[in-house]
Amino acid sequence: MAKSLQEQLLAAGLVDKKKAKKAAKELKMQDHLQRTGQANEIDAAKAKADATRKEKAERDRLLNLQKEQEAQKKAIAAQVTQLVLTNAIKSERGDIKYQFVDGKKIKQLYVDQAIWDRLSRGQLAVIALDLPGEKKYEVVPLQIAEKIRQRKDNHFIYIAESTAAAMAEDDPYAAYQIPDDLMW
């Protein structure tokens, strides 16, 4: 008599008895499920499991995307903080109060005369720095303010409007030159 494929594989040593019994049991189970009509239920359960797995993968993908966005926001905030702290212009003797508007509140910053002049002419900018527990304002050059605006466009940046052009238009004596030897 001819041996079955299973017996041939066992004789060749390619399959052991445990695997052969498991395969035979699985075949009997599938035959039984098909005869009783329960195979469709198993297929439905497999489809449901696949749908659940796909849903979970989509949720995980969205969660990872959200985490990446939060990490990117933190990185941008760290870059802004580093830019402000490394490029802040410090006043040696801050004895003049410079006032500016942040939202609906008037804020003040004590600076020296040179910085006050440059701030009022729009050559420097005031930047809000959100440190843990406090909000601090620093003076930075316009180039740094632009870099910060590129990274985070809703960050508070105050730049005074240049009043030189407006003063030149309204000045009735603009056409008259001041003599060099005039003493006040």
Side-chain angles (χ1 to χ4, degrees):
M1 272 207 218
K3 293 183 178 179
S4 69
L5 178 64
Q6 186 176 6
E7 290 173 351
Q8 290 175 9
L9 290 174
L10 277 171
L14 296 174
V15 178
D16 60 356
K17 286 186 180 183
K18 279 186 176 179
K19 286 184 181 179
K21 281 185 181 181
K22 186 176 180 182
K25 186 176 179 180
E26 198 172 299
L27 280 174
K28 282 183 182 179
M29 179 68 102
Q30 285 179 356
D31 280 343
H32 174 69
L33 290 176
Q34 282 182 347
R35 278 185 279 125
T36 59
Q38 294 176 349
N40 293 336
E41 293 174 11
I42 290 180
D43 290 341
K46 283 183 181 180
K48 186 177 179 181
D50 285 343
T52 305
R53 193 175 329 113
K54 286 179 182 177
E55 252 181 53
K56 184 180 181 317
E58 182 65 20
R59 270 196 321 260
D60 289 346
R61 187 186 65 77
L62 290 175
L63 185 62
N64 285 341
L65 183 64
Q66 184 180 13
K67 284 181 182 180
E68 284 177 14
Q69 289 174 346
E70 289 175 14
Q72 188 176 13
K73 285 180 184 178
K74 285 182 181 180
I76 288 172
Q79 287 176 0
V80 167
T81 303
Q82 183 181 11
L83 275 171
V84 171
L85 291 177
T86 56
N87 296 300
I89 299 173
K90 302 289 182 191
S91 296
E92 300 299 320
R93 298 171 306 172
D95 53 351
I96 300 173
K97 185 177 2 177
Y98 183 78
Q99 295 181 337
F100 55 95
V101 179
D102 182 3
K104 293 184 177 181
K105 296 183 179 182
I106 296 176
K107 298 292 183 173
Q108 57 193 10
L109 189 65
Y110 285 94
V111 294
D112 58 18
Q113 184 65 42
I115 294 175
W116 188 89
D117 289 339
R118 291 179 67 194
L119 277 169
S120 62
R121 281 189 251 130
Q123 296 174 346
L124 294 177
V126 177
I127 303 271
L129 186 61
D130 293 323
L131 297 174
E134 69 175 309
K135 189 171 186 177
K136 191 176 175 184
Y137 296 96
E138 295 287 342
V139 178
V140 294
L142 286 179
Q143 297 86 0
I144 302 303
E146 269 309 308
K147 286 182 182 180
I148 292 171
R149 188 170 279 147
Q150 288 171 358
R151 286 172 174 75
K152 192 175 179 184
D153 61 349
N154 61 349
H155 194 80
F156 174 75
I157 299 174
Y158 175 79
I159 302 171
E161 294 178 11
S162 181
T163 57
M167 289 177 64
E169 292 174 6
D170 296 339
D171 190 10
Y173 299 105
Y176 301 105
Q177 291 208 0
I178 300 173
D180 292 338
D181 61 345
L182 182 65
M183 300 297 279
W184 296 98

